[in-house]
Amino acid sequence: MGSEDVKLISFWVSPFAKRVEWALKLKGVEYEYIEEDIFNKSSLLLELNPVHKKVPVLVHGHKPIAESFIILEYIDETWNQYPLLPHHPYQRAHARFWAATAEEMLMEAAWIGMCTSGDDQENAVKAAREAMEKIEEEIKGKKFFGGENIGYLDIALGWIPYWTPVWEEVGSMQIIEPLRFPGITAWMTNFLNHPVIKDSLPPREDMLVYFHSRRKALSSSFQGRFKF
Amino acid sequence: MCQTAVIRDDFCHTSSFCVQIIIKFKQMSKLPFEPAMGDEVILLNFWLSPYGMRVRIALEEKSIKYENREEDLSNKSALLLQMNPVHKKIPVLIHNGKPICESLIAVEYIDEVWNDQSPLLPSDPHQRSQARFWADYVDTKIYETAIRFWRTEGREKEAAREEFLECIELLEEQLGNEPYFGGKNFGFVDVALVPLFCYFNTFSLYAKFIHEAQYPKIVAWAKRCTQKESVSKCFPKEQDVKQNFPQK
């Protein structure tokens, strides 16, 4: 399977798009990175993802694939080196379940926490911590969710170690309590220290500026739905 | 593993058994996760759940023997709470004691394990990605707007209806001239979408909002799917649904 003509339409601070970068880099797949201004969407993006009009979009041999989890599966099926999903169907289902569950329960709550204050924020933080508790059980005794190596679930949850602390600072809240979540805390260090991950992270200062402006823009018109 | 033992025994016999060895090797390579003899498949379900229907349809499509266990959602069983402690919801597929939760994840699991017949996902990675994309679209847009339509009134209901019909329009285009979203064969997206249509059938909602003249392909597709035994077997009886749902 060739790596010819692989493009990634991305946005520098999108955790969804970053997942795709990590997968490509772990597999050593060469690609062209195309930055998209999501507040002024290009005709290219609208053509490649007319249904959702969002990043990331992976384009391989002129064929677009959208939705980050779907792109991860495509990458894993197309390039066999460094498998991301486990081999056995039960373990694959397990990884998919936790990726979807964390997205629905944890990311949503953490985002709402960042955008709100008062009771709304308190409820969001509580929900996020409850979700973290469940995820803590999954990492127990393992270096990575994928075992000895970074796998699909590590990539799916990879926003936690780097985006959450930024959101915590922006929202003046705390979700990750190291004493309460020792497994996740250790995993976060392992994940961020991985050479592929470490070199791909966006600058923290820039992220803080960006998310402060998002909080300001969204807090007055917050509708309870995930808007990145 | 019992198959290895059989092959070892076979080697001690005459060449006529070599044919059996070849057949067994072919079976093994075709079924890397061959369900063992005495496979236990249980589906924790609720008769009205479209999500439960998806998993049942997948099991029926592949002629898998399973026990469909009805849950009382107002009094959830200890088994359900044990098998799905995170969400405490049905459907839960239990295969040899191991739970798989979330309907489309369970459908994909079924397709991977019982991969010798009626494949639901195509084999080409790009086509698979498209099938997953549209199944996800069905989940996030179609089901979500349908539920919003059902639960709201007034302007919100009207807005949900508009959005829902825009989604149906997109699916009408996506279907094109093929009999199914899976192409020539019933597939993953068909499984994801078809349970929603059992409600439409029941409440004559075709007449109310999916007009055949406007969406001929979707209407034809729905009729085609409900004629399949694997689908009709899993749809609840019309009179039972009507008894449980007030007419809107």
Side-chain angles (χ1 to χ4, degrees):
Chain A
M1 296 275 182
S3 305
E4 71 286 337
D5 202 17
V6 181
K7 293 178 175 35
L8 172 61
I9 319 297
S10 187
F11 180 54
W12 68 279
V13 73
S14 161
F16 311 106
K18 194 56 72 178
R19 287 169 178 159
V20 179
E21 268 195 76
W22 288 332
L24 292 169
K25 286 184 193 308
L26 284 163
K27 286 183 181 269
V29 175
E30 302 267 325
Y31 63 98
E32 183 191 344
Y33 179 98
I34 299 173
E35 180 72 10
E36 177 71 33
D37 177 2
I38 62 167
F39 301 101
N40 186 20
K41 290 175 182 179
S42 68
S43 54
L44 177 68
L45 177 64
L46 300 179
E47 183 195 315
L48 293 173
N49 190 1
V51 175
H52 299 304
K53 305 174 177 54
K54 286 183 185 173
V55 296
V57 181
L58 185 77
V59 187
H60 182 208
H62 310 291
K63 290 179 180 171
I65 303 109
E67 297 298 297
S68 62
F69 289 157
I70 294 173
I71 298 172
L72 291 183
E73 301 245 11
Y74 175 82
I75 289 170
D76 211 29
E77 287 168 6
T78 304
W79 292 282
N80 296 321
Q81 66 275 26
Y82 200 104
L84 299 174
L85 272 163
H87 184 58
H88 196 283
Y90 183 77
Q91 287 162 11
R92 294 160 73 85
H94 192 83
R96 288 171 180 144
F97 172 83
W98 281 104
T101 295
E103 197 87 329
E104 183 193 316
M105 294 175 73
L106 178 58
M107 196 190 245
E108 177 98 9
W111 180 252
I112 292 171
M114 192 205 84
C115 293
T116 55
S117 37
D119 285 344
D120 283 334
Q121 188 185 67
E122 217 177 289
N123 292 335
V125 168
K126 187 166 174 272
R129 284 186 184 154
E130 279 168 12
M132 276 255 163
E133 256 170 23
K134 301 188 203 297
I135 294 166
E136 176 74 16
E137 289 298 305
E138 286 305 306
I139 193 64
K140 268 200 167 71
K142 293 195 283 194
K143 185 178 180 193
F144 296 111
F145 290 95
E148 275 309 301
N149 295 312
I150 287 179
Y152 174 89
L153 188 53
D154 299 276
I155 294 175
L157 301 179
W159 60 275
I160 296 172
Y162 200 68
W163 271 256
T164 314
V166 171
W167 293 356
E168 284 175 327
E169 187 173 325
V170 169
S172 306
M173 59 172 182
Q174 189 190 14
I175 295 171
I176 304 171
E177 296 165 291
L179 290 178
R180 190 169 161 186
F181 310 119
I184 291 179
T185 306
W187 167 77
M188 282 169 58
T189 307
N190 291 332
F191 188 80
L192 292 177
N193 281 334
H194 190 287
V196 163
I197 307 301
K198 198 161 47 170
D199 293 339
S200 67
L201 298 168
R204 193 166 194 275
E205 283 312 307
D206 296 350
M207 283 175 75
L208 284 165
V209 169
Y210 176 83
F211 286 115
H212 269 297
S213 77
R214 293 310 287 149
R215 175 181 157 91
K216 207 170 164 191
L218 291 171
S219 58
S220 57
S221 62
F222 183 71
Q223 288 172 343
R225 289 181 70 177
F226 192 91
K227 258 185 177 21
F228 193 71
Chain B
M1 211 168 104
C2 62
Q3 285 160 335
T4 323
V6 169
I7 291 163
R8 263 207 301 277
D9 282 341
D10 283 346
F11 268 109
C12 301
H13 292 75
T14 62
S15 60
S16 64
F17 285 106
C18 289
V19 172
Q20 290 186 35
I21 295 164
I22 292 164
I23 293 169
K24 282 200 173 29
F25 270 119
K26 279 191 173 168
Q27 285 175 340
M28 281 171 76
S29 60
K30 212 178 171 188
L31 298 169
F33 308 106
E34 182 177 353
M37 292 285 285
D39 242 354
E40 185 192 56
V41 181
I42 298 169
L43 177 62
L44 301 183
N45 201 358
F46 178 64
W47 67 289
L48 271 173
S49 164
Y51 304 103
M53 277 179 228
R54 288 170 168 174
V55 186
R56 260 195 96 179
I57 290 169
L59 292 166
E60 291 289 339
E61 270 289 296
K62 290 178 181 274
S63 308
I64 297 162
K65 283 195 169 57
Y66 67 99
E67 181 195 338
N68 187 53
R69 247 185 239 179
E70 189 64 17
E71 277 284 331
D72 175 358
L73 298 184
S74 62
N75 184 21
K76 292 174 181 177
S77 70
L79 182 64
L80 174 57
L81 300 177
Q82 181 200 351
M83 291 285 140
N84 191 358
V86 176
H87 301 299
K88 305 175 177 54
K89 285 184 187 172
I90 57 94
V92 181
L93 180 74
I94 309 173
H95 183 203
N96 295 330
K98 288 180 163 174
I100 300 102
C101 307
E102 298 301 299
S103 60
L104 292 182
I105 292 176
V107 171
E108 213 169 328
Y109 174 84
I110 289 166
D111 205 37
E112 285 177 4
V113 174
W114 288 274
N115 58 12
D116 56 331
Q117 58 169 321
S118 307
L120 297 172
L121 276 165
S123 52
D124 171 71
H126 189 260
Q127 287 173 17
R128 290 164 74 82
S129 77
Q130 297 311 292
R132 288 183 176 124
F133 177 87
W134 288 106
D136 176 70
Y137 182 81
V138 164
D139 251 359
T140 53
K141 294 282 193 184
I142 306 270
Y143 274 68
E144 194 263 322
T145 50
I147 289 165
R148 237 189 311 136
F149 172 81
W150 196 263
R151 286 185 182 162
T152 57
E153 293 300 331
R155 261 193 293 184
E156 245 193 287
K157 192 182 188 78
E158 192 48 40
R161 181 185 173 281
E162 294 277 330
E163 232 183 288
F164 179 81
L165 289 176
E166 277 168 20
C167 295
I168 295 292
E169 178 77 52
L170 196 57
L171 288 182
E172 177 87 4
E173 280 169 36
Q174 195 53 35
L175 191 52
N177 293 321
E178 297 281 25
Y180 299 107
F181 288 96
K184 301 279 177 281
N185 299 308
F186 188 76
F188 192 64
V189 181
D190 305 282
V191 171
L193 183 61
V194 80
L196 201 62
F197 283 79
C198 85
Y199 297 102
F200 288 175
N201 252 341
T202 308
F203 295 111
S204 308
L205 283 172
Y206 286 127
K208 281 186 197 169
F209 64 114
I210 304 188
H211 303 289
E212 186 159 0
Q214 234 178 325
Y215 309 106
K217 293 174 183 172
I218 288 286
V219 171
W221 165 84
K223 285 179 183 166
R224 188 177 300 125
C225 287
T226 49
Q227 273 158 17
K228 284 172 69 65
E229 204 191 320
S230 60
V231 174
S232 60
K233 196 173 171 183
C234 304
F235 273 17
K237 291 198 184 62
E238 195 167 325
Q239 62 266 35
D240 295 336
V241 182
K242 279 183 165 159
Q243 266 180 358
N244 276 270
F245 275 87
Q247 281 279 1
K248 284 203 175 199

